[in-house]
PDB file of all heavy atoms in Angstrom:
ATOM      1  N   VAL A  61     -46.475  12.545 158.932  1.00 90.00           N
ATOM      2  CA  VAL A  61     -47.456  11.869 158.227  1.00 90.00           C
ATOM      3  C   VAL A  61     -48.793  12.853 158.094  1.00 90.00           C
ATOM      4  O   VAL A  61     -49.357  12.796 156.970  1.00 90.00           O
ATOM      5  CB  VAL A  61     -47.865  10.557 158.789  1.00 90.00           C
ATOM      6  CG1 VAL A  61     -49.198   9.916 158.241  1.00 90.00           C
ATOM      7  CG2 VAL A  61     -46.682   9.638 158.722  1.00 90.00           C
ATOM      8  N   GLY A  62     -49.085  13.439 159.083  1.00 88.00           N
ATOM      9  CA  GLY A  62     -50.248  14.449 159.001  1.00 88.00           C
ATOM     10  C   GLY A  62     -50.096  15.498 158.160  1.00 88.00           C
ATOM     11  O   GLY A  62     -50.986  15.767 157.317  1.00 88.00           O
ATOM     12  N   LEU A  63     -48.883  16.065 157.969  1.00 90.00           N
ATOM     13  CA  LEU A  63     -48.610  17.094 157.014  1.00 90.00           C
ATOM     14  C   LEU A  63     -48.533  16.538 155.517  1.00 90.00           C
ATOM     15  O   LEU A  63     -49.198  17.182 154.614  1.00 90.00           O
ATOM     16  CB  LEU A  63     -47.358  17.819 157.287  1.00 90.00           C
ATOM     17  CG  LEU A  63     -47.263  18.570 158.612  1.00 90.00           C
ATOM     18  CD1 LEU A  63     -45.862  19.230 158.826  1.00 90.00           C
ATOM     19  CD2 LEU A  63     -48.322  19.753 158.576  1.00 90.00           C
ATOM     20  N   LEU A  64     -47.971  15.363 155.380  1.00 91.00           N
ATOM     21  CA  LEU A  64     -47.937  14.774 154.107  1.00 91.00           C
ATOM     22  C   LEU A  64     -49.328  14.379 153.480  1.00 91.00           C
ATOM     23  O   LEU A  64     -49.630  14.401 152.258  1.00 91.00           O
ATOM     24  CB  LEU A  64     -46.964  13.531 154.098  1.00 91.00           C
ATOM     25  CG  LEU A  64     -45.479  13.852 154.178  1.00 91.00           C
ATOM     26  CD1 LEU A  64     -44.762  12.537 154.275  1.00 91.00           C
ATOM     27  CD2 LEU A  64     -45.080  14.662 153.079  1.00 91.00           C
ATOM     28  N   ALA A  65     -50.271  14.047 154.471  1.00 90.00           N
ATOM     29  CA  ALA A  65     -51.564  13.514 154.070  1.00 90.00           C
ATOM     30  C   ALA A  65     -52.285  14.607 153.543  1.00 90.00           C
ATOM     31  O   ALA A  65     -53.420  14.484 152.815  1.00 90.00           O
ATOM     32  CB  ALA A  65     -52.344  12.934 155.328  1.00 90.00           C
ATOM     33  N   VAL A  66     -51.997  15.925 153.857  1.00 88.00           N
ATOM     34  CA  VAL A  66     -52.714  17.070 153.275  1.00 88.00           C
ATOM     35  C   VAL A  66     -52.297  17.378 151.873  1.00 88.00           C
ATOM     36  O   VAL A  66     -53.023  17.995 151.096  1.00 88.00           O
ATOM     37  CB  VAL A  66     -52.485  18.265 154.175  1.00 88.00           C
ATOM     38  CG1 VAL A  66     -53.165  19.493 153.625  1.00 88.00           C
ATOM     39  CG2 VAL A  66     -53.131  18.012 155.617  1.00 88.00           C
ATOM     40  N   THR A  67     -51.082  17.035 151.498  1.00 90.00           N
ATOM     41  CA  THR A  67     -50.449  17.506 150.303  1.00 90.00           C
ATOM     42  C   THR A  67     -51.206  17.087 148.908  1.00 90.00           C
ATOM     43  O   THR A  67     -51.260  18.011 148.038  1.00 90.00           O
ATOM     44  CB  THR A  67     -48.952  17.109 150.257  1.00 90.00           C
ATOM     45  OG1 THR A  67     -48.815  15.660 150.384  1.00 90.00           O
ATOM     46  CG2 THR A  67     -48.228  17.745 151.247  1.00 90.00           C
ATOM     47  N   PRO A  68     -51.814  15.851 148.908  1.00 90.00           N
ATOM     48  CA  PRO A  68     -52.529  15.506 147.673  1.00 90.00           C
ATOM     49  C   PRO A  68     -53.610  16.459 147.267  1.00 90.00           C
ATOM     50  O   PRO A  68     -53.933  16.615 146.141  1.00 90.00           O
ATOM     51  CB  PRO A  68     -53.019  14.086 147.929  1.00 90.00           C
ATOM     52  CG  PRO A  68     -52.111  13.587 148.961  1.00 90.00           C
ATOM     53  CD  PRO A  68     -51.851  14.737 149.847  1.00 90.00           C
ATOM     54  N   MET A  69     -54.302  17.110 148.281  1.00 88.00           N
ATOM     55  CA  MET A  69     -55.309  18.124 148.031  1.00 88.00           C
ATOM     56  C   MET A  69     -54.841  19.419 147.279  1.00 88.00           C
ATOM     57  O   MET A  69     -55.697  20.011 146.606  1.00 88.00           O
ATOM     58  CB  MET A  69     -55.872  18.568 149.321  1.00 88.00           C
ATOM     59  CG  MET A  69     -56.690  17.463 149.987  1.00 88.00           C
ATOM     60  SD  MET A  69     -57.742  18.109 151.396  1.00 88.00           S
ATOM     61  CE  MET A  69     -56.647  18.470 152.441  1.00 88.00           C
ATOM     62  N   LEU A  70     -53.550  19.548 147.210  1.00 88.00           N
ATOM     63  CA  LEU A  70     -52.935  20.722 146.637  1.00 88.00           C
ATOM     64  C   LEU A  70     -53.172  20.662 145.162  1.00 88.00           C
ATOM     65  O   LEU A  70     -53.174  21.590 144.461  1.00 88.00           O
ATOM     66  CB  LEU A  70     -51.638  20.910 146.978  1.00 88.00           C
ATOM     67  CG  LEU A  70     -51.196  21.088 148.548  1.00 88.00           C
ATOM     68  CD1 LEU A  70     -49.649  21.263 148.727  1.00 88.00           C
ATOM     69  CD2 LEU A  70     -51.933  22.050 149.245  1.00 88.00           C
ATOM     70  N   ASN A  71     -53.206  19.446 144.596  1.00 89.00           N
ATOM     71  CA  ASN A  71     -53.277  19.175 143.222  1.00 89.00           C
ATOM     72  C   ASN A  71     -54.628  19.597 142.780  1.00 89.00           C
ATOM     73  O   ASN A  71     -54.733  19.932 141.267  1.00 89.00           O
ATOM     74  CB  ASN A  71     -53.020  17.714 142.764  1.00 89.00           C
ATOM     75  CG  ASN A  71     -52.760  17.562 141.333  1.00 89.00           C
ATOM     76  OD1 ASN A  71     -51.965  18.179 140.840  1.00 89.00           O
ATOM     77  ND2 ASN A  71     -53.353  16.641 140.679  1.00 89.00           N
ATOM     78  N   TYR A  72     -55.759  19.778 143.466  1.00 85.00           N
ATOM     79  CA  TYR A  72     -56.963  20.180 143.063  1.00 85.00           C
ATOM     80  C   TYR A  72     -56.757  21.690 142.470  1.00 85.00           C
ATOM     81  O   TYR A  72     -57.301  22.056 141.339  1.00 85.00           O
ATOM     82  CB  TYR A  72     -58.032  20.385 144.146  1.00 85.00           C
ATOM     83  CG  TYR A  72     -58.478  18.924 144.658  1.00 85.00           C
ATOM     84  CD1 TYR A  72     -58.537  18.601 145.982  1.00 85.00           C
ATOM     85  CD2 TYR A  72     -58.960  17.972 143.782  1.00 85.00           C
ATOM     86  CE1 TYR A  72     -59.014  17.420 146.390  1.00 85.00           C
ATOM     87  CE2 TYR A  72     -59.474  16.823 144.167  1.00 85.00           C
ATOM     88  CZ  TYR A  72     -59.433  16.540 145.570  1.00 85.00           C
ATOM     89  OH  TYR A  72     -59.835  15.267 146.017  1.00 85.00           O
ATOM     90  N   ASP A  73     -56.088  22.494 143.231  1.00 84.00           N
ATOM     91  CA  ASP A  73     -55.849  23.925 142.746  1.00 84.00           C
ATOM     92  C   ASP A  73     -54.909  24.004 141.681  1.00 84.00           C
ATOM     93  O   ASP A  73     -54.932  24.891 140.838  1.00 84.00           O
ATOM     94  CB  ASP A  73     -55.505  24.800 143.884  1.00 84.00           C
ATOM     95  CG  ASP A  73     -56.474  24.802 145.106  1.00 84.00           C
ATOM     96  OD1 ASP A  73     -57.594  25.347 144.905  1.00 84.00           O
ATOM     97  OD2 ASP A  73     -56.281  24.061 146.108  1.00 84.00           O
ATOM     98  N   ASN A  74     -54.010  23.025 141.514  1.00 86.00           N
ATOM     99  CA  ASN A  74     -53.105  22.887 140.404  1.00 86.00           C
ATOM    100  C   ASN A  74     -53.933  22.761 139.102  1.00 86.00           C
ATOM    101  O   ASN A  74     -53.663  23.419 138.042  1.00 86.00           O
ATOM    102  CB  ASN A  74     -52.065  21.855 140.612  1.00 86.00           C
ATOM    103  CG  ASN A  74     -50.962  21.859 139.437  1.00 86.00           C
ATOM    104  OD1 ASN A  74     -50.652  22.815 138.887  1.00 86.00           O
ATOM    105  ND2 ASN A  74     -50.769  20.627 139.025  1.00 86.00           N
ATOM    106  N   ILE A  75     -54.928  21.759 139.156  1.00 85.00           N
ATOM    107  CA  ILE A  75     -55.724  21.550 138.073  1.00 85.00           C
ATOM    108  C   ILE A  75     -56.641  22.706 137.644  1.00 85.00           C
ATOM    109  O   ILE A  75     -56.882  23.081 136.586  1.00 85.00           O
ATOM    110  CB  ILE A  75     -56.654  20.244 138.308  1.00 85.00           C
ATOM    111  CG1 ILE A  75     -55.750  19.066 138.577  1.00 85.00           C
ATOM    112  CG2 ILE A  75     -57.655  20.009 137.265  1.00 85.00           C
ATOM    113  CD1 ILE A  75     -56.470  17.885 139.085  1.00 85.00           C
ATOM    114  N   SER A  93     -53.293  27.230 148.186  1.00 83.00           N
ATOM    115  CA  SER A  93     -54.145  25.942 148.188  1.00 83.00           C
ATOM    116  C   SER A  93     -53.990  25.130 149.582  1.00 83.00           C
ATOM    117  O   SER A  93     -54.943  24.643 149.992  1.00 83.00           O
ATOM    118  CB  SER A  93     -53.368  24.868 147.218  1.00 83.00           C
ATOM    119  OG  SER A  93     -54.112  23.667 147.162  1.00 83.00           O
ATOM    120  N   TRP A  94     -52.829  25.255 150.286  1.00 83.00           N
ATOM    121  CA  TRP A  94     -52.780  24.760 151.610  1.00 83.00           C
ATOM    122  C   TRP A  94     -53.877  25.450 152.510  1.00 83.00           C
ATOM    123  O   TRP A  94     -54.637  24.792 153.386  1.00 83.00           O
ATOM    124  CB  TRP A  94     -51.502  24.871 152.246  1.00 83.00           C
ATOM    125  CG  TRP A  94     -51.235  24.159 153.567  1.00 83.00           C
ATOM    126  CD1 TRP A  94     -51.707  24.636 154.813  1.00 83.00           C
ATOM    127  CD2 TRP A  94     -50.555  22.992 153.704  1.00 83.00           C
ATOM    128  NE1 TRP A  94     -51.324  23.777 155.670  1.00 83.00           N
ATOM    129  CE2 TRP A  94     -50.710  22.757 155.179  1.00 83.00           C
ATOM    130  CE3 TRP A  94     -49.915  22.088 152.958  1.00 83.00           C
ATOM    131  CZ2 TRP A  94     -50.140  21.628 155.789  1.00 83.00           C
ATOM    132  CZ3 TRP A  94     -49.321  20.936 153.471  1.00 83.00           C
ATOM    133  CH2 TRP A  94     -49.364  20.651 154.972  1.00 83.00           C
ATOM    134  N   ASN A  97     -57.620  24.365 151.602  1.00 82.00           N
ATOM    135  CA  ASN A  97     -57.997  23.024 151.892  1.00 82.00           C
ATOM    136  C   ASN A  97     -57.951  22.622 153.407  1.00 82.00           C
ATOM    137  O   ASN A  97     -58.872  22.005 153.927  1.00 82.00           O
ATOM    138  CB  ASN A  97     -57.025  21.983 151.154  1.00 82.00           C
ATOM    139  CG  ASN A  97     -57.294  21.934 149.678  1.00 82.00           C
ATOM    140  OD1 ASN A  97     -58.262  21.495 149.259  1.00 82.00           O
ATOM    141  ND2 ASN A  97     -56.399  22.556 148.857  1.00 82.00           N
ATOM    142  N   ARG A 114     -61.848  29.730 146.947  1.00 75.00           N
ATOM    143  CA  ARG A 114     -61.106  29.515 145.629  1.00 75.00           C
ATOM    144  C   ARG A 114     -61.679  30.689 144.608  1.00 75.00           C
ATOM    145  O   ARG A 114     -60.972  31.144 143.818  1.00 75.00           O
ATOM    146  CB  ARG A 114     -61.514  28.205 145.013  1.00 75.00           C
ATOM    147  CG  ARG A 114     -60.663  27.028 145.582  1.00 75.00           C
ATOM    148  CD  ARG A 114     -60.967  25.737 144.880  1.00 75.00           C
ATOM    149  NE  ARG A 114     -59.971  24.841 145.466  1.00 75.00           N
ATOM    150  CZ  ARG A 114     -60.360  23.793 146.344  1.00 75.00           C
ATOM    151  NH1 ARG A 114     -61.532  23.797 146.715  1.00 75.00           N
ATOM    152  NH2 ARG A 114     -59.404  22.903 146.552  1.00 75.00           N
ATOM    153  N   THR A 138     -64.066  16.116 144.311  1.00 82.00           N
ATOM    154  CA  THR A 138     -63.443  15.913 145.668  1.00 82.00           C
ATOM    155  C   THR A 138     -63.710  14.693 146.387  1.00 82.00           C
ATOM    156  O   THR A 138     -63.074  14.188 147.269  1.00 82.00           O
ATOM    157  CB  THR A 138     -63.502  17.182 146.413  1.00 82.00           C
ATOM    158  OG1 THR A 138     -64.813  17.541 146.561  1.00 82.00           O
ATOM    159  CG2 THR A 138     -62.814  18.397 145.815  1.00 82.00           C
ATOM    160  N   GLU A 200     -57.123  12.817 136.069  1.00 89.00           N
ATOM    161  CA  GLU A 200     -56.248  13.454 136.943  1.00 89.00           C
ATOM    162  C   GLU A 200     -57.019  13.773 138.179  1.00 89.00           C
ATOM    163  O   GLU A 200     -56.528  13.576 139.358  1.00 89.00           O
ATOM    164  CB  GLU A 200     -55.640  14.639 136.413  1.00 89.00           C
ATOM    165  CG  GLU A 200     -54.527  15.213 137.168  1.00 89.00           C
ATOM    166  CD  GLU A 200     -53.815  16.450 136.551  1.00 89.00           C
ATOM    167  OE1 GLU A 200     -54.068  16.722 135.358  1.00 89.00           O
ATOM    168  OE2 GLU A 200     -52.962  16.909 137.239  1.00 89.00           O
ATOM    169  N   LEU A 201     -58.322  14.178 138.149  1.00 87.00           N
ATOM    170  CA  LEU A 201     -59.114  14.534 139.228  1.00 87.00           C
ATOM    171  C   LEU A 201     -59.420  13.337 140.028  1.00 87.00           C
ATOM    172  O   LEU A 201     -59.484  13.317 141.253  1.00 87.00           O
ATOM    173  CB  LEU A 201     -60.393  15.254 138.797  1.00 87.00           C
ATOM    174  CG  LEU A 201     -60.230  16.817 138.480  1.00 87.00           C
ATOM    175  CD1 LEU A 201     -61.546  17.255 137.773  1.00 87.00           C
ATOM    176  CD2 LEU A 201     -59.910  17.603 139.692  1.00 87.00           C
ATOM    177  N   LEU A 203     -57.764  10.450 140.120  1.00 91.00           N
ATOM    178  CA  LEU A 203     -56.506   9.974 140.890  1.00 91.00           C
ATOM    179  C   LEU A 203     -56.192  10.746 142.114  1.00 91.00           C
ATOM    180  O   LEU A 203     -55.856  10.354 143.149  1.00 91.00           O
ATOM    181  CB  LEU A 203     -55.456   9.948 139.898  1.00 91.00           C
ATOM    182  CG  LEU A 203     -55.281   8.787 138.807  1.00 91.00           C
ATOM    183  CD1 LEU A 203     -54.243   9.127 137.807  1.00 91.00           C
ATOM    184  CD2 LEU A 203     -55.247   7.391 139.567  1.00 91.00           C
ATOM    185  N   THR A 204     -56.293  12.150 141.947  1.00 90.00           N
ATOM    186  CA  THR A 204     -56.093  13.006 142.992  1.00 90.00           C
ATOM    187  C   THR A 204     -56.978  12.860 144.165  1.00 90.00           C
ATOM    188  O   THR A 204     -56.475  12.660 145.270  1.00 90.00           O
ATOM    189  CB  THR A 204     -56.237  14.506 142.580  1.00 90.00           C
ATOM    190  OG1 THR A 204     -55.319  14.825 141.462  1.00 90.00           O
ATOM    191  CG2 THR A 204     -56.027  15.532 143.671  1.00 90.00           C
ATOM    192  N   SER A 205     -58.368  12.546 143.893  1.00 88.00           N
ATOM    193  CA  SER A 205     -59.229  12.378 144.962  1.00 88.00           C
ATOM    194  C   SER A 205     -59.018  11.110 145.692  1.00 88.00           C
ATOM    195  O   SER A 205     -59.050  10.925 146.932  1.00 88.00           O
ATOM    196  CB  SER A 205     -60.747  12.371 144.363  1.00 88.00           C
ATOM    197  OG  SER A 205     -61.662  12.154 145.420  1.00 88.00           O
ATOM    198  N   PHE A 206     -58.698   9.953 144.931  1.00 91.00           N
ATOM    199  CA  PHE A 206     -58.476   8.644 145.448  1.00 91.00           C
ATOM    200  C   PHE A 206     -57.116   8.700 146.329  1.00 91.00           C
ATOM    201  O   PHE A 206     -57.130   8.196 147.444  1.00 91.00           O
ATOM    202  CB  PHE A 206     -58.245   7.677 144.305  1.00 91.00           C
ATOM    203  CG  PHE A 206     -58.031   6.256 144.773  1.00 91.00           C
ATOM    204  CD1 PHE A 206     -59.123   5.496 145.303  1.00 91.00           C
ATOM    205  CD2 PHE A 206     -56.783   5.566 144.734  1.00 91.00           C
ATOM    206  CE1 PHE A 206     -58.983   4.213 145.840  1.00 91.00           C
ATOM    207  CE2 PHE A 206     -56.598   4.298 145.218  1.00 91.00           C
ATOM    208  CZ  PHE A 206     -57.635   3.610 145.782  1.00 91.00           C
ATOM    209  N   ILE A 207     -56.091   9.241 145.865  1.00 92.00           N
ATOM    210  CA  ILE A 207     -54.825   9.464 146.658  1.00 92.00           C
ATOM    211  C   ILE A 207     -55.038  10.298 147.839  1.00 92.00           C
ATOM    212  O   ILE A 207     -54.646   9.987 148.957  1.00 92.00           O
ATOM    213  CB  ILE A 207     -53.725  10.057 145.692  1.00 92.00           C
ATOM    214  CG1 ILE A 207     -53.259   9.187 144.560  1.00 92.00           C
ATOM    215  CG2 ILE A 207     -52.362  10.342 146.566  1.00 92.00           C
ATOM    216  CD1 ILE A 207     -52.312   9.786 143.472  1.00 92.00           C
ATOM    217  N   ASP A 208     -55.820  11.300 147.725  1.00 90.00           N
ATOM    218  CA  ASP A 208     -56.196  12.114 148.865  1.00 90.00           C
ATOM    219  C   ASP A 208     -56.859  11.373 149.874  1.00 90.00           C
ATOM    220  O   ASP A 208     -56.391  11.453 151.044  1.00 90.00           O
ATOM    221  CB  ASP A 208     -57.085  13.260 148.448  1.00 90.00           C
ATOM    222  CG  ASP A 208     -57.604  14.150 149.657  1.00 90.00           C
ATOM    223  OD1 ASP A 208     -56.875  14.282 150.576  1.00 90.00           O
ATOM    224  OD2 ASP A 208     -58.686  14.640 149.455  1.00 90.00           O
ATOM    225  N   TRP A 209     -57.806  10.646 149.640  1.00 89.00           N
ATOM    226  CA  TRP A 209     -58.607   9.836 150.718  1.00 89.00           C
ATOM    227  C   TRP A 209     -57.713   8.623 151.197  1.00 89.00           C
ATOM    228  O   TRP A 209     -57.872   8.200 152.332  1.00 89.00           O
ATOM    229  CB  TRP A 209     -59.943   9.361 150.155  1.00 89.00           C
ATOM    230  CG  TRP A 209     -60.889  10.534 150.006  1.00 89.00           C
ATOM    231  CD1 TRP A 209     -61.227  11.183 148.958  1.00 89.00           C
ATOM    232  CD2 TRP A 209     -61.535  11.209 151.253  1.00 89.00           C
ATOM    233  NE1 TRP A 209     -62.201  12.227 149.293  1.00 89.00           N
ATOM    234  CE2 TRP A 209     -62.353  12.250 150.691  1.00 89.00           C
ATOM    235  CE3 TRP A 209     -61.461  11.098 152.583  1.00 89.00           C
ATOM    236  CZ2 TRP A 209     -63.043  13.052 151.481  1.00 89.00           C
ATOM    237  CZ3 TRP A 209     -62.089  11.819 153.403  1.00 89.00           C
ATOM    238  CH2 TRP A 209     -62.985  12.870 152.961  1.00 89.00           C
ATOM    239  N   THR A 210     -56.858   8.143 150.339  1.00 91.00           N
ATOM    240  CA  THR A 210     -56.003   7.031 150.638  1.00 91.00           C
ATOM    241  C   THR A 210     -55.014   7.574 151.867  1.00 91.00           C
ATOM    242  O   THR A 210     -54.777   6.991 152.796  1.00 91.00           O
ATOM    243  CB  THR A 210     -55.181   6.466 149.494  1.00 91.00           C
ATOM    244  OG1 THR A 210     -56.057   5.999 148.483  1.00 91.00           O
ATOM    245  CG2 THR A 210     -54.225   5.395 149.909  1.00 91.00           C
ATOM    246  N   CYS A 211     -54.485   8.806 151.572  1.00 92.00           N
ATOM    247  CA  CYS A 211     -53.740   9.425 152.658  1.00 92.00           C
ATOM    248  C   CYS A 211     -54.387   9.756 153.919  1.00 92.00           C
ATOM    249  O   CYS A 211     -53.747   9.537 154.945  1.00 92.00           O
ATOM    250  CB  CYS A 211     -52.985  10.653 152.007  1.00 92.00           C
ATOM    251  SG  CYS A 211     -51.809  10.329 150.662  1.00 92.00           S
ATOM    252  N   VAL A 212     -55.612  10.191 153.845  1.00 89.00           N
ATOM    253  CA  VAL A 212     -56.398  10.508 155.023  1.00 89.00           C
ATOM    254  C   VAL A 212     -56.574   9.118 155.824  1.00 89.00           C
ATOM    255  O   VAL A 212     -56.326   9.113 157.006  1.00 89.00           O
ATOM    256  CB  VAL A 212     -57.770  11.028 154.640  1.00 89.00           C
ATOM    257  CG1 VAL A 212     -58.734  11.142 155.916  1.00 89.00           C
ATOM    258  CG2 VAL A 212     -57.668  12.377 154.054  1.00 89.00           C
ATOM    259  N   TYR A 284     -53.810  15.758 161.703  1.00 86.00           N
ATOM    260  CA  TYR A 284     -54.191  15.792 160.433  1.00 86.00           C
ATOM    261  C   TYR A 284     -55.095  17.155 160.267  1.00 86.00           C
ATOM    262  O   TYR A 284     -55.113  17.790 159.156  1.00 86.00           O
ATOM    263  CB  TYR A 284     -55.119  14.642 159.976  1.00 86.00           C
ATOM    264  CG  TYR A 284     -55.716  14.807 158.542  1.00 86.00           C
ATOM    265  CD1 TYR A 284     -54.927  14.554 157.470  1.00 86.00           C
ATOM    266  CD2 TYR A 284     -57.010  15.160 158.448  1.00 86.00           C
ATOM    267  CE1 TYR A 284     -55.426  14.751 156.194  1.00 86.00           C
ATOM    268  CE2 TYR A 284     -57.686  15.314 157.116  1.00 86.00           C
ATOM    269  CZ  TYR A 284     -56.752  15.138 155.987  1.00 86.00           C
ATOM    270  OH  TYR A 284     -57.313  15.223 154.830  1.00 86.00           O
TER     271      TYR A 284
END
Side-chain angles (χ1 to χ4, degrees):
V61 168
L63 296 175
L64 289 176
V66 176
T67 53
M69 290 191 289
L70 307 184
N71 197 45
Y72 290 129
D73 297 291
N74 183 42
I75 297 170
S93 183
W94 187 284
N97 289 289
R114 285 190 172 99
T138 55
E200 193 172 354
L201 283 169
L203 285 174
T204 300
S205 181
F206 184 75
I207 294 170
D208 173 25
W209 286 105
T210 301
C211 289
V212 174
Y284 180 74

